[in-house]
Amino acid sequence: MVIPGEQPFYASVTGNAPELDACRILVVDDDASLRRTLPRALAREGRSFDESATVADAIAALERQRYNLILLDYRLPDGTGLDVLDWLTRHERDEAVIIISGEDAIDAAIGALRGGADDYVRKPYHLAQLQRTVESTLHKTTLEHANQAMSQRLRASERLHRFLVESSPDLIFTLDTEGRFTYINPRVTQMLGYERASLMRRPFSTLVMAEDVDRINSLMFARGNTPGESFNVELRLRRNRETLIEGGVESTTVSLTGIPMPGSKGRISNGLYGVARDISERKRAEEIITFQAYHDQLTRLPNRVLFKDRLELAIAQAQRRTGALAVMFIDVDRFKLVNDTFGHAEGDTLLRGIAARLSTTLRRGDTLARLGGDEFTVLLPDINHPEDAEIIARKILEALSLPFRLEHGDFRATVSIGIALFPRDGDTAEDLTRHADIAMYQVKRSGKNAFRFFDTELNAHYRERIALENDLRLALERAEFELYYQPQVSMKQHRVVGMEALLRWNHPAHGQIGPATFIPVAEEMGLIGDISHWVLEQACAQLALWRKEGFDDLRMSLNLSPHDFSRKDIVEMVTECVHRHAVPPAQIEVEITESMMMQDTIGVAAKVKAMREAGLSVAIDDFGTGYSALAYLQKFPVSTLKIDRSFVRDLDGPSTNPIISAITGIARGFGLHLIAEGVERAEQAETLRILGCDIMQGYLFARPGTAAQATAWLEVAPQPAMPH
């Protein structure tokens, strides 16, 4: 690693110097014989020699090459050896120099040594003396070079480590045995806003937030601290208030690693080395993630998980104190209408507004949570009486009485509230929430915009409902459904002209169950489509069988659920089944309710028209109960009207039945078939006959029966005893 602004230490040490394992020697002497003999006398493995006779030649050689050693004669033809020494000094060269001279004057030796020569040998000399001087000088030079390289390495290492510490993104510091700063790097200014000089000799604890002081002191000054054994802790360091901008955070959260430093004896701590890393961003991210995990993102309210945690804690506290609490389950009425009409953005605005108003009705210790969609829950701890929860419920209804201003206009929101009490209605979070939910649904079914407390009868009802749902899911698979048939009798022809297929469920435990009990459940569960398809298949198959037995003109009536008409392929499903069983379409009559006809929310008219174009008959069941069906007969090309049993039940005579008279007139006017259902008495049948209704069905003729019983009725039509 190279420190900015510095050269690598190895470059300054080696430069262009010769390698230490190869020794190059320059012999400078005007005596040619000496220049030849010295290399032979000083020859060693790895040594090489160059020679020069003058100062100029020597300087030229030095400009071309670096040497480990120069053997330099004092007297030269163009100067003295001092000239070479002077050149070496000016050019900051580090070659070792031994002056070889015949000068007797001491001044020559002094001048040479002062000029930078490493040694001085006077001529004549013994060869051994020269060899020792050369060996000693080379050895000393090698040591000096090694020492110089080591010193430069140490200086470079020191610069490197100082650079790393001074430039570290972490706060690095040392403390003495009393916890006072002895060193702190510049990062402290950026991290905490202090000048580091102002912190020297100050206790580290002055930077620690008061809540964390005891904890960090217990770690720093623990008796068991051993040099080299580190500890890690998260704490908050105080920022310099003088440098804080308005609204700035007063502390920085750091992850601190502390390492006790060895003292003079190697086992007693001599202070602390610390590294503190700023983890504020990480902690903020963790807080955001934690908040998102336990809060609803739209309303910022606690979510289902956090509500359950708080409820379980409140239950535990109430059990210890023998106290009570309440749980509310709140559902927004008609919320889907807002989403479908104005869009989900407006729906979100409404939910935020509702959450804000709900919050204003609660006490300080209460918890309001959003479970999802338009469902909210409320925890009311520490209530003394059920009336306390009732007061809150009334406040909620009142708070929502004013309209909410949405982008497309005002909307008045109402809610249905179910309330469960601890310990009366349950002792677990799941039971209390579920029971409050059950009570809320009862409010929904009773008209909405109200509250209700849970009671055990509701629980029993819902347990039965769940059991019924579970059994209903398996009813088709277990072949528990059966079609019963009720004859439609022509009074003029004295025979059965039609059969209405009526579904029964042969429950293995509860016996036969009528459609009024399980069809609404099947519609809510989304099973009605499969059940209707089964009814259609069975009815068509039975009609095909009766046709083979000779009853060619028999008509089969069957009921379809309003939910069936939400299917895009309802017409194709019916016509395909009819064709597959080779039944004339006109002999299949599909019954729809008058209320479904009047609402026409799912394009019923278009599907009825398609059925009629396919040749199928379509009857309006319970005709007359809507009181406005006449306007829809132009729109719906139906083929049959069925007079509702509520009109037939009260028949006493022709003069007292204007509604039935009107219905018979409507049927004649539109050219429609007319069937009266629910005929139970002979007087009713006679009155209907007089009013112009020929085809009837009801207990007067036969109760719904099996296919075998229905076959017998086809052979011998059931006849009522008519009054005279």
Side-chain angles (χ1 to χ4, degrees):
M1 181 176 185
V2 179
I3 302 173
E6 298 282 352
Q7 290 294 324
F9 70 88
Y10 47 80
S12 62
V13 172
T14 58
N16 296 320
E19 299 178 6
L20 295 179
D21 57 352
C23 182
R24 184 178 293 276
I25 300 174
L26 176 63
V27 179
V28 183
D29 200 303
D30 59 348
D31 186 340
S33 62
L34 190 62
R35 293 199 305 272
R36 290 192 300 273
T37 58
L38 279 178
R40 289 197 295 271
L42 300 175
R44 296 286 188 277
E45 183 179 357
R47 289 181 183 176
S48 60
F49 295 85
D50 290 336
E51 58 182 68
S52 297
T54 64
V55 171
D57 289 344
I59 291 174
L62 288 169
E63 289 176 341
R64 294 191 304 269
Q65 179 68 51
R66 284 181 175 268
Y67 293 91
N68 297 85
L69 176 63
I70 302 173
L71 298 177
L72 181 61
D73 191 12
Y74 187 83
R75 292 288 181 185
L76 293 169
D78 56 348
T80 67
L82 297 178
D83 297 327
V84 176
L85 289 174
D86 182 57
W87 186 91
L88 290 173
T89 300
R90 291 197 315 272
H91 290 81
E92 298 181 350
R93 300 288 286 265
D94 58 356
E95 283 89 345
V97 178
I98 299 176
I99 296 291
I100 301 175
S101 174
E103 297 291 328
D104 291 333
I106 190 64
D107 292 342
I110 293 172
L113 294 174
R114 286 179 176 175
D118 292 271
D119 211 336
Y120 188 92
V121 176
R122 290 199 324 177
K123 296 178 182 179
Y125 52 80
H126 293 287
L127 183 59
Q129 177 190 1
L130 180 61
Q131 289 174 337
R132 285 194 301 272
T133 302
V134 169
E135 292 294 340
S136 175
T137 301
L138 288 175
H139 180 66
K140 183 185 73 170
T141 302
T142 299
L143 292 178
E144 287 177 351
H145 282 155
N147 183 61
Q148 183 183 12
M150 182 62 69
S151 297
Q152 292 196 16
R153 287 192 185 98
L154 289 174
R155 288 193 296 272
S157 178
E158 181 182 354
R159 289 195 302 272
L160 173 62
H161 285 87
R162 180 171 292 278
F163 171 76
L164 293 176
V165 171
E166 299 280 325
S167 306
S168 174
D170 297 330
L171 179 63
I172 300 176
F173 59 89
T174 57
L175 307 176
D176 61 19
T177 55
E178 296 181 1
R180 296 173 300 190
F181 284 108
T182 56
Y183 170 79
I184 188 166
N185 70 344
R187 171 65 171 160
V188 70
T189 303
Q190 183 180 357
M191 183 184 290
L192 301 177
Y194 295 97
E195 294 297 329
R196 57 177 177 169
S198 66
L199 297 176
M200 298 303 293
R201 310 306 302 171
R202 286 179 57 185
F204 175 73
S205 59
T206 59
L207 291 186
V208 181
M209 296 296 286
E211 299 85 349
D212 297 334
V213 169
D214 291 341
R215 186 155 50 95
I216 186 61
N217 284 343
S218 65
L219 290 171
M220 289 172 53
F221 303 112
R223 291 185 177 182
N225 280 355
T226 303
E229 290 187 1
S230 64
F231 63 83
N232 294 89
V233 63
E234 288 186 7
L235 68 158
R236 289 166 300 163
L237 298 183
R238 195 186 313 275
R239 294 183 59 84
N240 188 353
R241 292 184 178 180
E242 295 178 0
T243 62
L244 275 180
I245 61 174
E246 185 176 354
V249 181
E250 293 186 354
S251 65
T252 297
T253 304
V254 299
S255 174
L256 173 65
T257 299
I259 304 175
M261 296 187 296
S264 57
K265 297 182 179 180
R267 58 185 180 83
I268 300 176
S269 177
N270 191 32
L272 185 81
Y273 168 77
V275 178
R277 173 160 295 179
D278 185 350
I279 59 171
S280 300
E281 291 298 325
R282 191 191 81 191
K283 297 297 287 186
R284 278 193 287 271
E286 290 175 354
E287 290 172 0
I288 292 173
I289 292 172
T290 301
F291 184 87
Q292 291 175 344
Y294 291 100
H295 290 79
D296 170 56
Q297 298 305 298
L298 176 65
T299 61
R300 316 297 285 177
L301 294 176
N303 62 10
R304 184 187 302 271
V305 176
L306 182 54
F307 180 80
K308 182 182 177 184
D309 287 346
R310 292 187 180 179
L311 177 54
E312 289 176 343
L313 177 60
I315 290 172
Q317 293 173 342
Q319 287 172 334
R320 286 196 298 268
R321 298 193 303 266
T322 318
L325 60 86
V327 173
M328 288 183 173
F329 201 106
I330 303 173
D331 187 271
V332 181
D333 302 327
R334 303 177 300 121
F335 178 72
K336 187 174 184 296
L337 179 63
V338 177
N339 275 344
D340 294 345
T341 306
F342 302 131
H344 289 275
E346 288 286 78
D348 290 346
T349 301
L350 177 61
L351 287 175
R352 284 192 290 266
I354 291 174
R357 290 198 193 175
L358 292 177
S359 298
T360 62
T361 66
L362 303 181
R363 305 167 301 176
R364 183 183 298 273
D366 299 338
T367 296
L368 170 65
R370 180 183 177 222
L371 299 190
D374 59 348
E375 294 179 338
F376 297 85
T377 51
V378 175
L379 167 61
L380 304 174
D382 301 324
I383 63 170
N384 299 317
H385 306 284
E387 291 76 11
D388 296 339
E390 181 176 340
I391 291 172
I392 298 295
R394 294 189 185 279
K395 284 183 178 180
I396 290 174
L397 297 177
E398 183 180 354
L400 297 177
S401 61
L402 295 177
F404 288 88
R405 186 169 298 279
L406 303 178
E407 183 177 345
H408 296 85
D410 290 349
F411 181 82
R412 293 184 181 274
T414 61
V415 294
S416 299
I417 306 172
I419 307 172
L421 301 174
F422 170 88
R424 188 189 74 182
D425 300 329
D427 56 4
T428 66
E430 291 80 4
D431 286 345
L432 290 171
T433 305
R434 179 167 53 85
H435 291 165
D437 189 13
I438 290 172
M440 180 275 296
Y441 270 108
Q442 198 64 25
V443 176
K444 286 277 189 186
R445 292 174 177 175
S446 302
K448 307 180 178 65
N449 192 27
F451 65 89
R452 176 169 181 164
F453 285 88
F454 173 80
D455 60 59
T456 54
E457 291 182 4
L458 283 177
N459 193 35
H461 168 75
Y462 275 87
R463 288 184 184 276
E464 293 174 2
R465 168 64 180 266
I466 292 173
L468 183 68
E469 290 182 0
N470 293 335
D471 293 341
L472 190 57
R473 292 184 187 278
L474 301 174
L476 273 177
E477 181 182 329
R478 295 173 177 174
E480 294 173 357
F481 288 124
E482 182 181 6
L483 282 188
Y484 271 47
Y485 303 91
Q486 188 172 33
Q488 297 172 343
V489 180
S490 170
M491 300 298 289
K492 292 180 181 179
Q493 302 178 39
H494 301 288
R495 70 183 184 92
V496 176
V497 295
M499 290 284 185
E500 182 177 1
L502 300 169
L503 182 62
R504 298 292 185 268
W505 178 14
N506 295 316
H507 193 281
H510 303 297
Q512 194 173 85
I513 301 176
T517 301
F518 66 85
I519 288 298
V521 178
E523 290 176 339
E524 288 186 24
M525 296 172 60
L527 298 177
I528 193 63
D530 293 337
I531 294 175
S532 295
H533 189 267
W534 182 89
V535 169
L536 181 63
E537 287 285 343
Q538 296 299 311
C540 289
Q542 184 61 55
L543 181 60
L545 181 61
W546 280 331
R547 284 175 54 78
K548 288 181 181 179
E549 294 176 355
F551 305 105
D552 296 336
D553 59 350
L554 185 67
R555 185 173 62 250
M556 178 72 75
S557 297
L558 54 92
N559 294 276
L560 290 181
S561 166
H563 292 265
D564 293 324
F565 280 84
S566 65
R567 294 177 50 164
K568 294 181 179 179
D569 63 342
I570 181 62
V571 178
E572 290 77 7
M573 184 188 80
V574 175
T575 55
E576 188 275 332
C577 183
V578 169
H579 293 152
R580 181 156 34 82
H581 289 282
V583 174
Q587 290 181 234
I588 293 293
E589 188 166 78
V590 176
E591 295 187 8
I592 63 175
T593 64
E594 185 179 3
S595 60
M596 182 175 68
M597 178 190 72
M598 292 172 61
Q599 293 174 2
D600 193 24
T601 56
I602 47 179
V604 177
K607 293 169 183 173
V608 169
K609 182 179 179 181
M611 286 184 177
R612 293 291 290 138
E613 290 174 349
L616 297 165
S617 297
V618 178
I620 299 179
D621 195 14
D622 305 332
F623 186 80
T625 57
Y627 299 103
S628 58
L630 184 60
Y632 291 88
L633 291 178
Q634 302 274 3
K635 183 178 180 181
F636 284 76
V638 298
S639 54
T640 304
L641 301 182
K642 295 190 74 173
I643 301 173
D644 184 64
R645 66 182 65 247
S646 63
F647 302 122
V648 175
R649 184 187 311 118
D650 298 328
L651 277 177
D652 289 326
S655 61
T656 60
N657 294 279
I659 294 179
I660 292 182
S661 298
I663 293 174
T664 56
I666 291 171
R668 284 193 299 270
F670 281 92
L672 304 176
H673 295 291
L674 189 63
I675 300 174
E677 58 182 356
V679 181
E680 299 181 357
R681 303 194 311 272
E683 293 81 4
Q684 295 171 340
E686 177 63 15
T687 302
L688 288 167
R689 185 187 64 79
I690 294 172
L691 290 173
C693 179
D694 177 54
I695 301 175
M696 308 176 196
Q697 73 179 85
Y699 290 174
L700 178 64
F701 305 96
R703 292 176 178 272
T706 63
Q709 291 173 312
T711 302
W713 296 330
L714 291 174
E715 295 172 350
V716 180
Q719 295 296 321
M722 302 300 292
H724 298 288

